[in-house]
Amino acid sequence: MDTKFEFKKPNFDNIKENMRGFKEKINLKREGKQALKVAGIAFVILLIVSVIASSVRRQFLDGMGNINMFSILLGLNLVGVRIRSNGMMMFSSSTINIGIIILLLIPILALVVANIFIYRRKIETIDRCVVEALKVGFMYGLLLAITSIFSTTRINLGMGNMFGFGNSYIAIGYKFFPAFGNGFLIAFLTSAILNYRKEFHGEYYTTDIISDAVKEFLKLSLIILVITVIVVFTKNSTLYDFGLSDYSKGGAVVAYIVQMAAYLITIAIGGIVHIGDSSSMSIFSIFNSATFTDTKLLIRIIFCVFAIAMIFVGANIYRNYRFENRKTVLHFSIAFGFLVGLVAKFSSISLSGSVMQNMSSMDLAVRAGTFTTFVIAIISTVIFTEIGYRIAPHVDDLFR
């Protein structure tokens, strides 16, 4: 029986296709881990900053107190502090929001560095850009939430036994879901805005509108920041109404200026800022309020700046998005109102929970309703942007 062996030439095209498919699978696996790497790198950067801050604080306190570095890390992300006490202390169960908004620059910068380092190659589609930002937000929020479990610091005071009340202590920590929520918002928005501006600017209508809202918000914030700087260094008494003027001295002046600018943005756009237990301030009530005349004048000026800026924005929307319909004004206003709502959320300094009578004073509590500010900001922005949208064609006709 004769057996013939036939030598077949290898099909190199199939081998190439298989190798290409194998490489694509590897790339997909790598891409799937990119979000985790971004969140992890940002978390490590913040952890290093927290360790340094903890060491510096201990040095200044001469070794008094055990400062939890995880508490500092979560504090940089403006997560509300939960305080529980047992014994003769003033608090039984309270939550403190320390909304020193300038602290957000540290996690934002950490996330920017991580994004630039990991996403060095071009992101091919806007869908992947959004998905990657969502994954980064989820991973970063989850890392903060897990950290909140280990962040509780218990301080034993040893005072209760002297009076027969048992051991007295304070437990300071953070809640799981607020930590996740803050981390998700900060990481998602930072990653989405950064990668979009780098890759897809000018290619998509929806994202361009959001990008324009971010750009205009930053411009307005910068203008208000400059006005606040001038006011603080020329006539500091203008801002006594906020109850935080004592912090405008020394090294805290930068944080103070940014904080005041955040409150002024909220008020000028129509939001309501609550000061203490009984006082509140908004553009609608400023005319009849008991605030100083200089503060009233300042808020009126900032309101006029906002109104003029939005009128110009409306005119630009007409010129740049004329192929769209008037809904562009609404889309821009929603994005802009969302940013103002974020400022209201993260800039709140407040104390809530059960408080003893000797701690009933809350003069330093300055807070704004996030949802209320969001809705009012949308309405205010729609009104002035619509004015600019309507008058733009008539102005263009005059210069033809």
Side-chain angles (χ1 to χ4, degrees):
M1 177 173 143
D2 295 332
T3 304
K4 293 183 178 180
F5 294 94
E6 183 179 354
F7 178 77
K8 293 184 178 180
K9 183 180 179 182
N11 190 341
F12 291 103
D13 292 334
N14 289 337
I15 294 174
K16 289 179 181 179
E17 288 179 6
N18 291 333
M19 289 298 294
R20 192 181 296 115
F22 181 69
K23 288 180 180 179
E24 287 177 358
K25 288 180 180 179
I26 294 175
N27 288 333
L28 285 174
K29 288 181 180 179
R30 288 177 179 173
E31 289 173 1
K33 296 178 180 178
Q34 284 180 325
L36 179 59
K37 290 178 181 178
V38 171
I41 291 172
F43 184 84
V44 170
I45 292 173
L46 290 182
L47 193 60
I48 294 170
V49 172
S50 301
V51 170
I52 295 172
S54 177
S55 301
V56 171
R57 283 286 302 275
R58 272 191 208 143
Q59 187 175 7
F60 279 105
L61 292 173
D62 295 326
M64 294 173 58
N66 183 19
I67 301 172
N68 191 327
M69 63 181 178
F70 295 134
S71 296
I72 296 175
L73 190 151
L74 292 166
L76 293 175
N77 290 274
L78 302 187
V79 183
V81 182
R82 182 179 60 176
I83 299 178
R84 292 175 298 161
S85 65
N86 181 37
M88 297 182 61
M89 295 309 297
M90 292 172 287
F91 298 98
S92 58
S93 178
S94 302
T95 300
I96 301 177
N97 293 312
I98 308 175
I100 310 300
I101 201 166
I102 197 172
L103 293 177
L104 281 182
L105 288 177
I106 300 174
I108 288 173
L109 287 174
L111 286 160
V112 167
V113 170
N115 272 283
I116 292 174
F117 181 74
I118 296 299
Y119 293 113
R120 284 172 291 181
R121 295 182 179 179
K122 180 178 175 62
I123 297 177
E124 286 129 7
T125 64
I126 189 66
D127 293 338
R128 186 176 162 234
C129 180
V130 174
V131 169
E132 289 297 311
L134 285 170
K135 289 195 291 186
V136 171
F138 179 82
M139 296 294 182
Y140 185 76
L142 188 61
L143 286 173
L144 292 189
I146 294 171
T147 302
S148 69
I149 300 173
F150 304 99
S151 66
T152 300
T153 301
R154 180 165 169 163
I155 303 173
N156 291 312
L157 301 174
M159 296 170 57
N161 291 326
M162 297 170 57
F163 302 95
F165 290 104
N167 191 27
S168 182
Y169 69 88
I170 298 176
I172 303 172
Y174 297 84
K175 293 183 180 179
F176 185 91
F177 289 106
F180 176 82
N182 278 27
F184 177 83
L185 279 174
I186 296 167
F188 168 71
L189 292 174
T190 301
S191 301
I193 292 170
L194 178 67
N195 291 322
Y196 164 74
R197 292 289 300 178
K198 186 175 66 173
E199 306 289 357
F200 303 105
H201 184 60
E203 296 182 16
Y204 297 91
Y205 161 76
T206 304
T207 46
D208 280 353
I209 285 293
I210 296 173
S211 178
D212 289 345
V214 172
K215 183 171 65 176
E216 296 302 327
F217 177 79
L218 292 176
K219 285 182 182 178
L220 182 65
S221 299
L222 182 61
I223 293 171
I224 294 176
L225 190 63
V226 171
I227 293 173
T228 307
V229 170
I230 295 171
V231 169
V232 167
F233 286 105
T234 55
K235 197 168 186 181
N236 191 24
S237 61
T238 303
L239 300 174
Y240 278 168
D241 296 282
F242 291 98
L244 297 173
S245 56
D246 290 341
Y247 294 90
S248 62
K249 302 171 185 176
V253 67
V254 176
Y256 170 81
I257 288 171
V258 175
Q259 199 71 12
M260 289 300 99
Y263 296 144
L264 291 171
I265 290 170
T266 304
I267 293 171
I269 296 175
I272 303 171
V273 173
H274 302 279
I275 304 169
D277 289 331
S278 57
S279 179
S280 63
M281 195 181 301
S282 74
I283 191 63
F284 305 110
S285 63
I286 194 67
F287 303 101
N288 300 320
S289 66
T291 55
F292 290 120
T293 302
D294 291 337
T295 304
K296 292 180 181 179
L297 179 61
L298 175 63
I299 292 176
R300 289 171 185 171
I301 290 172
I302 292 177
F303 176 75
C304 291
V305 169
F306 160 70
I308 293 170
M310 290 303 103
I311 289 172
F312 277 103
V313 167
N316 288 330
I317 287 176
Y318 173 80
R319 296 187 184 99
N320 298 331
Y321 297 93
R322 195 178 305 181
F323 57 89
E324 301 291 339
N325 52 36
R326 192 171 270 104
K327 287 183 180 179
T328 304
V329 170
L330 179 61
H331 296 159
F332 173 88
S333 300
I334 291 172
F336 192 87
F338 177 75
L339 294 172
V340 177
L342 283 180
V343 170
K345 169 182 168 51
F346 285 115
S347 64
S348 292
I349 299 176
S350 61
L351 174 65
S352 61
S354 57
V355 186
M356 298 295 285
Q357 290 183 355
N358 56 353
M359 275 293 289
S360 59
S361 177
M362 294 175 60
D363 294 335
L364 295 183
V366 185
R367 60 204 181 280
T370 303
F371 182 74
T372 305
T373 301
F374 170 64
V375 173
I376 295 175
I378 291 176
I379 296 171
S380 302
T381 307
V382 164
I383 291 171
F384 293 109
T385 309
E386 181 69 19
I387 291 172
Y389 190 93
R390 287 178 178 273
I391 66 174
H394 303 291
V395 174
D396 291 343
D397 290 340
L398 290 175
F399 290 95
R400 281 180 182 175

